[in-house]
């Protein structure tokens, strides 16, 4: 069981770091540029760029949109790997050996995804950093203004809100794709279809959960 | 010995097994033959307890499977080895780990005892130097042999094989068939093999059950299958042109 958990940590968490880091850094940059281009009014303080970038990254971009990307990456990986085991009868082979295959396959993924908040923290950090880099090196503002912005009106509850969402999304990322893989029927072609369906439904449920959690926690 | 009585199995509205009764004896290779889609795999999975069935009974040495307690079921499972159609090796484990897996699940042996047993069965299927390969690095024939090694590693009383030589070249197919028969004889197992391959029928069909549309259409052995005048059986047996030719020549020669 321990080897399975380590394998899933590797497949689901470690292997996602690269893409998450890349996307977060550049999207953070774009958010900063867009914000700064949209404030032409000289009365609006310069630190607003840092402030707005921090808010959008921490509240929505990192927890929600990275989760949608993970529904594509991690979710379809889970569906296709469990689905392949189903169609190649590896799941039947486990059951013949007296193993509860659903537990055996899904539990390690749950454990691995408890590290999911770690991915989201990295996305938050790199998003804000990307905003800083774009802002300063692109000539949209000064380092001091940006730093002041990301320290302005900091509300600790926002962090709790963001990580509460993250944990819910981690749970959805482990369960929905596993379900589609475990209960699939057919052959290799259906594995591909199941992965797509699983991505669509995981994203839809994440977006709806985001809506309800936001109105519940912040509304 | 395994006794099956009046077995019925449906998926929703699709009635797949429509009342099958037969027996499989110890120390024999029992073949279930029939066209693809005739219900062979479903039948085997009912025997294994992987599928629930609506009606009928399956008894292992007189003990009815559906009456067993969970512990007794587990005990029965530990006496069953299964070779799946596509081998169903765990693709994240090496060949040796695959073969060791049932020992980890069903026995309390220590690592070196398990290692010895794995070496022994891998030798038995002529794969003494493949321990550390991954299944994906092995050929189809090798994968089948690993699957057989995994199925027999815990000394099962019952061995089930779903189309053990599908996807193999004819030469390798015969090697696998003969291996299964030797092992069955050597360890006096009750072996049930699904097949739609006439070569297997002629090589190892000590008992043959012919399924058609979810019913047992005919039952006999490799000696009697060529003498029957049951049309479905002769259709199946002489479905290949080669067999038809051989048969024609045989009839001409004997005129
Ligand atoms: N899990 C399942 N759900 C629904 N139908 C199934 C399932 N497994 C098999 N069937 C149907 O049962 C019939 C017999 O299949 P099978 O036993 O696999 O045939 P074969 O003799 O080729 O092994 C087929 O029509 C198949 O579509
Ligand atoms: Mg089949």
């Amino acid at each position: 069981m321990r080897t399975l958990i380590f394998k899933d940590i590797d497949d689901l968490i470690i292997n996602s770091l690269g893409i998450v880091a890349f996307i977060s850094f550049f999207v953070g940059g774009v958010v900063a540029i867009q914000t700064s281009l949209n404030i032409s009014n000289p009365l609006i303080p310069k630190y607003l760029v840092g402030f707005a970038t921090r808010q959008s990254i921490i509240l929505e971009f990192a927890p929600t949109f990275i989760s949608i990307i993970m529904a594509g990456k991690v979710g379809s990986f889970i569906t296709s790997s469990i689905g392949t085991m189903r169609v190649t009868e590896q799941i039947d082979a486990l059951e013949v050996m007296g193993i509860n295959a659903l537990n055996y396959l899904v539990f390690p993924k749950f454990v691995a995804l408890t590290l999911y908040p770690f991915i989201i923290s990295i996305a938050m950090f790199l998003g804000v950093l990307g905003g800083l880099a774009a802002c300063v090196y692109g000539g949209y503002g000064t380092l001091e203004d940006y730093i002041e912005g990301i320290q302005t009106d900091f509300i600790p509850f926002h962090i709790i809100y963001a990580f509460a969402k993250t944990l819910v999304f981690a749970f959805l990322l482990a369960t929905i794709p596993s379900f589609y893989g475990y209960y699939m029927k057919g052959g290799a072609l259906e594995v591909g279809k199941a992965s797509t369906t699983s991505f669509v439904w995981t994203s839809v449920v994440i977006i709806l959960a985001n809506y309800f959690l936001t109105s519940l926690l912040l509304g | 010995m395994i006794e099956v009585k009046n077995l019925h199995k449906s998926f929703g509205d699709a009635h797949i097994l429509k009342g099958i009764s037969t027996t499989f004896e110890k120390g024999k290779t029992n073949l279930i033959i029939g066209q693809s889609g005739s219900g062979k795999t479903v039948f085997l999975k009912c025997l294994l307890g992987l599928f629930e069935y609506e009606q009928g009974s399956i008894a292992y040495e007189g003990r009815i499977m559906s009456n067993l307690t969970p512990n007794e079921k587990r005990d029965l499972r530990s006496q069953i080895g299964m070779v799946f159609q596509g081998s169903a090796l765990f693709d994240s484990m090496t060949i040796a780990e695959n073969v060791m897996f049932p020992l980890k699940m069903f026995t309390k042996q220590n690592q070196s005892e398990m290692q010895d047993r794995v070496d022994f069965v891998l030798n038995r299927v002529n794969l003494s130097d493949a321990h550390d390969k991954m299944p994906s690095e092995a050929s189809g024939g090798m994968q089948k042999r690993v699957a057989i090694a995994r199925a027999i590693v815990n000394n099962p009383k019952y061995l089930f094989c779903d189309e053990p030589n599908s996807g193999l070249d004819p030469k390798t197919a015969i090697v696998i068939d003969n291996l299964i028969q030797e092992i069955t004889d050597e360890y006096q197992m009750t072996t049930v093999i699904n097949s739609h391959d006439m070569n297997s029928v002629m090589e190892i069909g000590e008992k043959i059950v012919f399924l058609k549309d979810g019913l047992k259409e005919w039952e006999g052995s490799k000696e009697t299958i060529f003498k029957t005048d049951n049309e479905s059986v002769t259709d199946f047996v002489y479905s290949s042109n080669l067999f038809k030719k051989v048969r024609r020549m045989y009839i001409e020669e004997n005129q």
Side-chain angles (χ1 to χ4, degrees):
Chain A
M1 198 40 104
R2 203 186 309 146
T3 36
L4 285 177
I5 293 174
F6 281 122
K7 184 173 181 308
D8 278 332
I9 290 178
D10 196 44
D11 286 335
L12 306 179
I13 304 291
I14 311 285
N15 280 339
S16 304
L17 290 177
I19 182 80
V20 167
F22 175 79
I23 293 177
S24 305
F25 188 80
F26 284 99
V27 171
V30 169
V31 170
I33 294 173
Q34 294 281 19
T35 315
S36 120
L37 291 177
N38 282 295
I39 34 181
S40 42
N41 188 332
L43 291 179
I44 297 177
K46 291 254 184 329
Y47 66 76
L48 193 81
V49 177
F51 175 75
T53 306
R54 183 199 77 201
Q55 288 300 83
S56 39
I57 297 277
I58 287 182
L59 294 178
E60 288 308 327
F61 174 77
T64 311
F65 287 92
I66 289 294
S67 294
I68 300 292
I69 288 159
M70 288 296 107
K73 186 176 187 301
V74 166
S76 54
F77 175 83
I78 292 176
T79 305
S80 61
S81 62
I82 296 182
T84 302
M85 292 189 72
R86 167 63 76 197
V87 304
T88 58
E89 298 181 303
Q90 291 177 53
I91 290 183
D92 290 322
L94 287 170
E95 306 244 301
V96 170
M97 294 176 210
I99 293 160
N100 180 332
L102 192 61
N103 265 338
Y104 181 83
L105 295 172
V106 179
F107 178 72
K109 294 184 170 49
F110 257 101
V111 176
L113 281 169
T114 55
L115 295 178
Y116 188 59
F118 171 66
I119 289 190
I120 299 305
S121 319
I122 290 181
M124 289 173 176
F125 175 75
L126 288 176
V128 172
L129 190 70
L132 182 149
C135 185
V136 175
Y137 295 105
Y140 297 96
T142 65
L143 182 64
E144 290 71 29
D145 287 340
Y146 192 88
I147 300 277
E148 187 190 344
I150 61 179
Q151 291 170 328
T152 302
D153 285 340
F154 181 77
I155 302 170
F157 183 70
H158 283 174
I159 297 284
I160 295 174
Y161 157 78
F163 280 103
K165 293 209 294 194
T166 299
L167 281 175
V168 172
F169 298 159
F171 175 81
L172 297 174
L173 282 173
T175 45
I176 299 174
S178 296
F179 173 86
Y180 277 99
Y182 191 82
Y183 289 103
M184 68 157 296
K185 290 203 168 76
L189 187 65
E190 281 79 10
V191 175
K193 283 186 193 153
S195 306
T196 313
T197 321
S198 140
F199 166 64
V200 171
W201 282 105
T202 311
S203 321
V204 168
V205 176
I206 285 176
I207 294 290
L208 289 177
N210 185 41
Y211 175 81
F212 288 114
L213 283 172
T214 305
S215 27
L216 193 74
L217 295 174
L218 297 185
Chain B
M1 190 168 80
I2 306 170
E3 282 168 283
V4 182
K5 286 202 186 114
N6 193 29
L7 193 69
H8 283 263
K9 166 73 188 166
S10 310
F11 293 104
D13 290 338
H15 202 170
I16 306 295
L17 303 179
K18 301 167 184 163
I20 294 179
S21 305
T22 189
T23 59
F24 302 114
E25 279 168 41
K26 188 178 163 188
K28 266 195 182 177
T29 42
N30 301 278
L31 254 60
I32 299 170
I33 62 171
Q35 274 163 6
S36 83
S38 56
K40 303 183 296 293
T41 300
V42 172
F43 181 70
L44 212 57
K45 288 189 176 174
C46 287
L47 292 187
L48 279 168
L50 284 175
F51 283 157
E52 307 272 330
Y53 41 90
E54 295 85 52
Q55 234 194 82
S57 69
I58 298 169
Y60 283 79
E61 317 303 333
R63 297 163 69 207
I64 297 189
M65 197 165 69
S66 52
N67 295 343
L68 300 180
T69 64
N71 268 339
E72 290 170 328
K73 251 188 202 144
R74 193 182 148 76
D75 198 47
L76 174 62
R77 286 230 159 109
S78 73
Q79 300 169 6
I80 293 177
M82 170 78 187
V83 177
F84 287 91
Q85 181 160 4
S87 296
L89 301 178
F90 303 124
D91 39 32
S92 58
M93 299 180 195
T94 65
I95 284 175
E97 285 167 348
N98 263 284
V99 177
M100 195 182 281
F101 199 79
L103 295 180
K104 282 190 179 159
M105 290 303 133
F106 288 124
T107 73
K108 294 193 169 71
Q109 298 177 10
N110 65 37
Q111 188 68 25
S112 78
E113 285 170 319
M114 289 194 290
Q115 200 68 57
D116 287 347
R117 180 67 189 158
V118 169
D119 291 347
F120 178 82
V121 287
L122 278 175
N123 259 328
R124 183 64 193 80
V125 299
N126 300 320
L127 277 181
S128 40
D129 52 1
H131 288 62
D132 297 326
K133 281 204 170 106
M134 298 308 280
S136 57
E137 298 167 326
S139 67
M142 270 167 91
Q143 291 182 2
K144 276 283 149 60
R145 280 191 265 179
V146 178
I148 293 172
R150 184 176 70 179
I152 63 170
V153 71
N154 196 27
N155 270 321
K157 283 191 186 156
Y158 312 96
L159 178 64
F160 297 129
C161 309
D162 195 0
E163 313 226 1
N165 49 27
S166 71
L168 301 180
D169 61 275
K171 238 181 180 166
T172 315
I174 291 175
V175 172
I176 297 288
D177 278 347
N178 289 338
L179 178 63
I180 293 171
Q181 188 173 37
E182 282 164 31
I183 289 172
T184 301
D185 189 52
E186 208 172 307
Y187 303 109
Q188 285 298 299
M189 294 186 290
T190 306
T191 298
V192 182
I193 304 162
N194 277 355
S195 182
H196 61 228
D197 179 19
M198 279 311 296
N199 286 321
S200 308
V201 169
M202 297 193 310
E203 287 276 332
I204 59 170
E206 293 179 296
K207 166 160 185 173
I208 298 170
V209 176
F210 180 82
L211 294 191
K212 193 187 173 201
D213 299 331
L215 284 168
K216 182 177 82 179
E217 173 82 21
W218 181 86
E219 182 173 288
S221 70
K222 65 180 172 187
E223 286 81 27
T224 58
I225 197 166
F226 295 99
K227 298 178 189 143
T228 177
D229 38 12
N230 181 314
E231 224 165 90
S232 309
V233 178
T234 48
D235 256 11
F236 179 81
V237 170
Y238 300 110
S239 58
S240 105
N241 282 332
L242 180 64
F243 276 111
K244 279 184 192 144
K245 259 186 209 159
V246 172
R247 189 181 195 218
R248 230 183 359 253
M249 277 160 57
Y250 178 80
I251 293 172
E252 279 165 12
E253 259 173 41
N254 286 284
Q255 266 172 356

